[in-house]
Amino acid sequence: MKGQSVTEIFGTNVFNDAVMKERLPKKVYQELKKTIENGETLNPDIADTVAQAMMEWAVEKGATHYTHWFQPMTGITAEKHDAFINPTSDGKVILEFSGKELIKGEPDASSFPSGGLRATFEARGYTAWDCTSPAFVKESPNGVTLCIPTAFCSYTGEALDKKTPLLRSMEAIDKQAMRILKLFGNTTATKVTTSVGPEQEYFLVDKEKYLKRKDLIFTGRTLFGAMPPKGQEMDDHYFGIIKERIAGFMKELNEELWKLGVTAKTQHNEVAPAQHELAPIYASNNVATDHNQLVMELMKKVADRHGLACLLHEKPFAGVNGSGKHNNWSLVTDDGLNLLDPGKTPHENVQFLLVLTAILRAVDLHADLLRMSAASAGNDHRLGANEAPPAIISVFLGEQLEDVLNQLDTKGEATSSKQGEKMAVGVHTLPEFQKDATDRNRTSPFAFTGNKFEFRMLGSTASIANPNIVLNTIVADVFCEIADKLEKAEDFDLAVHDLIKEYISEHKRIVFNGNGYSDEWLAEAERRGLPNLTSTVDAIPALITEKSIKVFTKHNVFTETELRSRAEIKFENYAKTINIEALSTLDIAKKQIVPAVMKYQSQLAKDIISLKEVGVDTSVQKEILDKITAELVKLQAAIAKLAEVTEKATTLEEDIPAQARYYHDEVFAAMQAVREPADVLEMLVAKEAWPFPSYGDLLFEV
Ligand code: ADP
Ligand code: MG
């Protein structure tokens, strides 16, 4: 993009509103906009025209193929490419792309996880165009492809992806939020959208070193590795100066993202060495979800071009911070109002207080579902494992709002809002500014941050779809309950006031402004009766409780069958992940570590013999050799045990939840037992003798 400005390249690879306006006949454009903006069903008569324009645009960009781009339950995106060509009678081809091909695809999808929804003999799956997320072209050295964001469902209409339920949940919250707005006399808004800005954390390591680590290649995280002399204790990486090589990566990543219309905005070094973060400007929920997938995909691709490897795993390195995503979430009307904006005097903003307390109620009633939505084998290393944030859901409101709610709770009404003071830094030349009324809290899993909630439990690898599906649905449900009551109320103001008070007193237990990492909070949360689901296997059942089935089916987000299949996929995925980790642990320990240690051991033994011959003291060599031998014996025993339990685990396939539980309780623990002596051995043998790069090499030599 030499010589090109950001504004020139932004969105150049997107079939966005401006392109549609320019290339589509006015009538067709207006019809399409109706679908995009008002959620009306797409008129099939215009599909051919849209498809033709889309193809022409893409072909001008060099595209030869198109793909329905979808998000199956594997957590990553899937695509099957078809060329635009169509043979003609004279043995040549013409380029064609019909409305039918745009609207509907039919990938033979029997190999995608379906959780029993679709037997392999009924392999039919459909992808359907989500025209609310714009099409785009993906460039690669091997060609250009037109990507059409789609939803993916089975022959019988069950959702097989993450996008379908996300769109359903967005419709649900739109519908219920609109009922509330109408009750408050809003006549201008016609739609409420959830806006989401996901902050993405990641690690970058040197590609050559990465390729020498089978654990990173197979599992995305290190299964072995002694701590280096320096970790993150100096806090000198956070917001530190970005190294040139990394800056080069970030520059290219930004440019690639901007071309795709992704508003990559903020970048900085994170807490751990080699860890970084990227945040886009927020967008509508489904677009933000699609964009986050592109962000992750491009991070990997661009890293590769720079001789780097991007690690998106939640915990690539034991002992240093892992990676997550902060899901910034708010509710915005099409007439420009953010329902989570408290204004200057929140105590007078009744609509805001109602929305706020509704969210408190939703989060308290369905804390288990929110926790579940962020659960994965990778994220288990963070949540509830002494790292940000804890596995207990609580809400941080900040001083100002907590004070307003307190007034309402104790006095029945709120008469004031604490205001931010003038900032006094004590230096006259610095500009004066107004402090925020509330400080931030870094340890809360669900924090109010000014005009949005920040859900911080999400893992770095997972799609942001699941947490948003849950959030949208549970809030829609409380909105629905509110609207049902208020629509019947004789005295509206009084009824609103009573509801707010009722919700505060019933759900204030979920509000916690203190340190979420402390042991006192664990005890306090238990006293308050808040769930603490410390692992994925503990969290998954929340999906299929009676309460969960009720809320999801009521708002047409999931059917019971879909929920059960998703729970099964989650259990299965957990079991498979730990199985791969266990097999990788065995492979690396047996084929790399044990042979390397034995070689070193025998070298030491030879040294001792030859040193003795010349009459030299060999006590040091002997001492090290003895220590190494003792650890090697431990290692060998741990390997045998891990092999045994991993073998046993595969025989438990009849009962998938029980199998997942066994992987958690037995296999995972046995893996840890292999790692311990191996990490001790790493510190006992010479650096050159160790078969792969160390933590120090990976984290500090980028
Ligand atoms: P940080 O939390 O790192 O201090 P910010 O608060 O500035 O950063 O924003 C983080 C993310 O939140 C960004 O992606 C931003 O676009 C997004 N964001 C800001 N306002 C909203 C909003 N009203 N709704 C949803 N996301 C928002
Ligand atoms: Mg943040």
Side-chain angles (χ1 to χ4, degrees):
M1 78 154 220
K2 275 227 163 61
Q4 268 183 310
S5 69
V6 181
T7 47
E8 274 170 335
I9 63 162
F10 191 84
T12 43
N13 285 350
V14 186
F15 192 72
N16 55 22
D17 191 57
V19 180
M20 289 194 275
K21 201 167 189 172
E22 181 193 315
R23 292 184 175 244
L24 293 174
K26 202 164 175 192
K27 269 231 162 78
V28 174
Y29 171 75
Q30 283 165 344
E31 278 279 330
L32 186 58
K33 282 291 271 190
K34 263 198 256 167
T35 303
I36 295 171
E37 279 171 7
N38 312 340
E40 288 174 23
T41 306
L42 184 78
N43 173 357
D45 297 342
I46 67 163
D48 277 326
T49 318
V50 179
Q52 184 65 24
M54 212 185 258
M55 181 192 75
E56 280 166 13
W57 170 82
V59 168
E60 282 169 31
K61 303 246 162 227
T64 51
H65 289 70
Y66 72 91
T67 180
H68 277 202
W69 187 72
F70 59 104
Q71 294 168 36
M73 291 182 281
T74 51
I76 49 174
T77 55
E79 37 193 84
K80 172 187 142 213
H81 297 188
D82 282 298
F84 289 120
I85 55 168
N86 244 336
T88 53
S89 54
D90 56 356
K92 295 193 169 165
V93 291
I94 51 163
L95 298 186
E96 254 177 12
F97 185 46
S98 68
K100 239 164 108 191
E101 288 167 310
L102 166 64
I103 289 179
K104 190 188 90 177
E106 201 192 317
D108 171 13
S110 49
S111 297
F112 290 108
S114 74
L117 272 184
R118 191 169 22 76
T120 28
F121 58 87
E122 294 165 342
R124 226 173 252 257
Y126 295 113
T127 50
W129 183 29
D130 166 22
C131 60
T132 58
S133 179
F136 55 92
V137 293
K138 235 193 229 179
E139 293 171 316
S140 87
N142 310 319
V144 179
T145 305
L146 168 66
C147 296
I148 299 149
T150 55
F152 179 41
C153 62
S154 75
Y155 186 68
T156 42
E158 275 119 356
L160 293 174
D161 67 350
K162 294 175 184 268
K163 171 160 268 187
T164 310
L166 177 66
L167 292 171
R168 291 176 187 158
S169 75
M170 289 171 69
E171 276 193 33
I173 198 163
D174 171 26
K175 182 170 157 198
Q176 303 304 336
M178 278 307 301
R179 287 175 68 194
I180 297 198
L181 285 179
K182 288 223 171 77
L183 284 163
F184 274 90
N186 187 321
T187 51
T188 47
T190 63
K191 190 178 173 180
V192 176
T193 315
T194 42
S195 289
V196 171
E199 303 164 54
Q200 174 76 44
E201 292 180 333
Y202 61 100
F203 279 84
L204 288 176
V205 298
D206 185 77
K207 180 88 184 191
E208 266 177 46
K209 297 193 182 87
Y210 166 89
L211 289 173
K212 292 189 182 131
R213 297 274 325 204
K214 285 196 186 325
D215 46 5
L216 285 179
I217 294 174
F218 290 134
T219 72
R221 74 177 179 102
T222 53
L223 300 168
F224 297 97
M227 275 307 282
K230 182 183 174 197
Q232 63 190 46
E233 59 279 74
M234 300 294 281
D235 290 327
D236 53 355
H237 191 255
Y238 192 54
F239 282 17
I241 292 177
I242 298 170
K243 285 183 192 160
E244 250 172 54
R245 184 177 184 194
I246 305 300
F249 157 86
M250 288 178 171
K251 177 173 183 286
E252 191 173 327
L253 175 63
N254 282 336
E255 286 165 8
E256 291 285 345
L257 290 171
W258 289 335
K259 281 197 263 177
L260 288 170
V262 180
T263 49
K265 166 101 174 155
T266 316
Q267 59 199 26
H268 61 80
N269 287 349
E270 259 300 331
V271 176
Q275 192 185 27
H276 313 278
E277 181 185 292
L278 180 144
I281 295 172
Y282 63 93
S284 142
N285 207 160
N286 63 324
V287 172
T289 306
D290 286 356
H291 281 181
N292 183 250
Q293 295 297 131
L294 289 174
V295 165
M296 291 193 287
E297 188 181 318
L298 278 164
M299 278 179 170
K300 295 205 162 228
K301 270 196 196 155
V302 175
D304 201 47
R305 289 183 215 150
H306 288 251
L308 296 162
C310 172
L311 309 179
L312 289 171
H313 193 281
E314 284 77 11
K315 193 75 173 176
F317 303 97
V320 294
N321 262 34
S323 303
K325 271 190 253 237
H326 287 177
N327 191 79
N328 294 274
W329 177 95
S330 69
L331 287 162
V332 185
T333 66
D334 58 347
D335 63 346
L337 179 73
N338 177 357
L339 301 188
L340 287 175
D341 186 355
K344 280 225 155 52
T345 49
H347 69 283
E348 295 170 328
N349 190 342
V350 179
Q351 183 182 298
F352 167 76
L353 289 174
L354 184 64
V355 168
L356 181 76
T357 49
I359 293 171
L360 287 186
R361 176 169 170 78
V363 173
D364 189 20
L365 291 179
H366 301 286
D368 57 340
L369 273 178
L370 280 170
R371 164 65 183 97
M372 180 283 307
S373 76
S376 69
N379 221 9
D380 277 3
H381 296 275
R382 301 173 64 237
L383 306 179
N386 275 330
E387 198 187 307
I392 307 161
I393 298 267
S394 65
V395 181
F396 170 82
L397 287 179
E399 223 180 305
Q400 187 190 45
L401 292 181
E402 208 190 4
D403 173 60
V404 172
L405 296 198
N406 257 337
Q407 293 179 48
L408 279 160
D409 192 32
T410 51
K411 298 190 298 189
E413 60 179 336
T415 49
S416 67
S417 296
K418 289 189 175 176
Q419 295 299 327
E421 294 150 19
K422 274 236 169 73
M423 189 75 190
V425 197
V427 179
H428 290 107
T429 50
L430 289 177
E432 276 192 348
F433 56 90
Q434 206 77 14
K435 268 204 304 200
D436 290 300
T438 290
D439 195 5
R440 287 184 177 243
N441 171 305
R442 287 279 164 206
T443 63
S444 174
F446 201 87
F448 186 75
T449 46
N451 61 359
K452 60 189 192 285
F453 272 105
E454 198 171 326
F455 184 28
R456 298 175 174 150
M457 270 192 174
L458 286 70
S460 47
T461 325
S463 158
I464 63 167
N466 284 349
N468 286 296
I469 293 167
V470 170
L471 201 46
N472 295 345
T473 309
I474 61 176
V475 174
D477 191 54
V478 179
F479 282 173
C480 174
E481 177 187 283
I482 293 174
D484 285 348
K485 284 193 182 149
L486 294 184
E487 279 163 6
K488 284 190 229 111
E490 275 168 25
D491 182 340
F492 178 77
D493 291 343
L494 187 68
V496 172
H497 179 261
D498 287 350
L499 260 184
I500 292 174
K501 268 200 62 187
E502 181 191 321
Y503 287 170
I504 294 172
S505 78
E506 202 175 324
H507 302 292
K508 61 186 172 198
R509 65 170 193 163
I510 197 83
V511 177
F512 177 62
N513 284 343
N515 178 3
Y517 300 167
S518 65
D519 289 336
E520 295 83 65
W521 171 232
L522 280 186
E524 165 71 14
E526 201 180 325
R527 256 195 309 280
R528 294 189 190 185
L530 302 177
N532 182 7
L533 304 166
T534 52
S535 78
T536 296
V537 283
D538 293 311
I540 298 170
L543 203 52
I544 43 175
T545 58
E546 211 175 297
K547 171 174 79 83
S548 165
I549 294 169
K550 201 169 150 212
V551 69
F552 282 120
T553 52
K554 178 171 178 190
H555 299 282
N556 300 318
V557 174
F558 286 122
T559 64
E560 183 172 342
T561 320
E562 286 171 340
L563 283 172
R564 293 197 181 280
S565 74
R566 266 156 219 256
E568 189 168 317
I569 289 171
K570 278 201 153 222
F571 276 125
E572 226 173 55
N573 187 283
Y574 180 86
K576 282 181 185 163
T577 305
I578 304 296
N579 189 53
I580 293 170
E581 290 188 351
L583 295 179
S584 305
T585 301
L586 287 171
D587 190 82
I588 295 165
K590 280 161 56 175
K591 292 207 206 134
Q592 292 188 280
I593 297 177
V594 170
V597 173
M598 289 197 303
K599 197 167 154 200
Y600 191 72
Q601 209 182 17
S602 97
Q603 185 58 51
L604 267 182
K606 281 184 203 143
D607 290 351
I608 291 175
I609 293 170
S610 50
L611 288 170
K612 270 198 175 144
E613 261 171 34
V614 293
V616 169
D617 178 4
T618 56
S619 58
V620 174
Q621 284 80 355
K622 183 69 173 48
E623 191 191 326
I624 295 177
L625 182 57
D626 285 344
K627 277 192 191 155
I628 289 178
T629 307
E631 292 302 324
L632 187 62
V633 169
K634 275 193 225 163
L635 176 60
Q636 189 64 5
I639 290 173
K641 172 82 183 163
L642 176 60
E644 184 199 315
V645 291
T646 310
E647 181 67 36
K648 163 121 197 258
T650 54
T651 63
L652 304 173
E653 264 181 346
E654 289 288 290
D655 183 344
I656 298 206
Q659 186 190 35
R661 169 70 60 192
Y662 186 83
Y663 270 106
H664 175 266
D665 294 351
E666 303 296 331
V667 180
F668 188 78
M671 262 163 59
Q672 213 38 43
V674 172
R675 177 175 185 149
E676 273 159 30
D679 288 357
V680 175
L681 282 164
E682 185 185 344
M683 295 307 284
L684 287 172
V685 308
K687 176 150 183 60
E688 309 79 61
W690 202 245
F692 40 76
S694 68
Y695 267 30
D697 300 335
L698 287 165
L699 287 167
F700 292 96
E701 292 179 24
V702 197

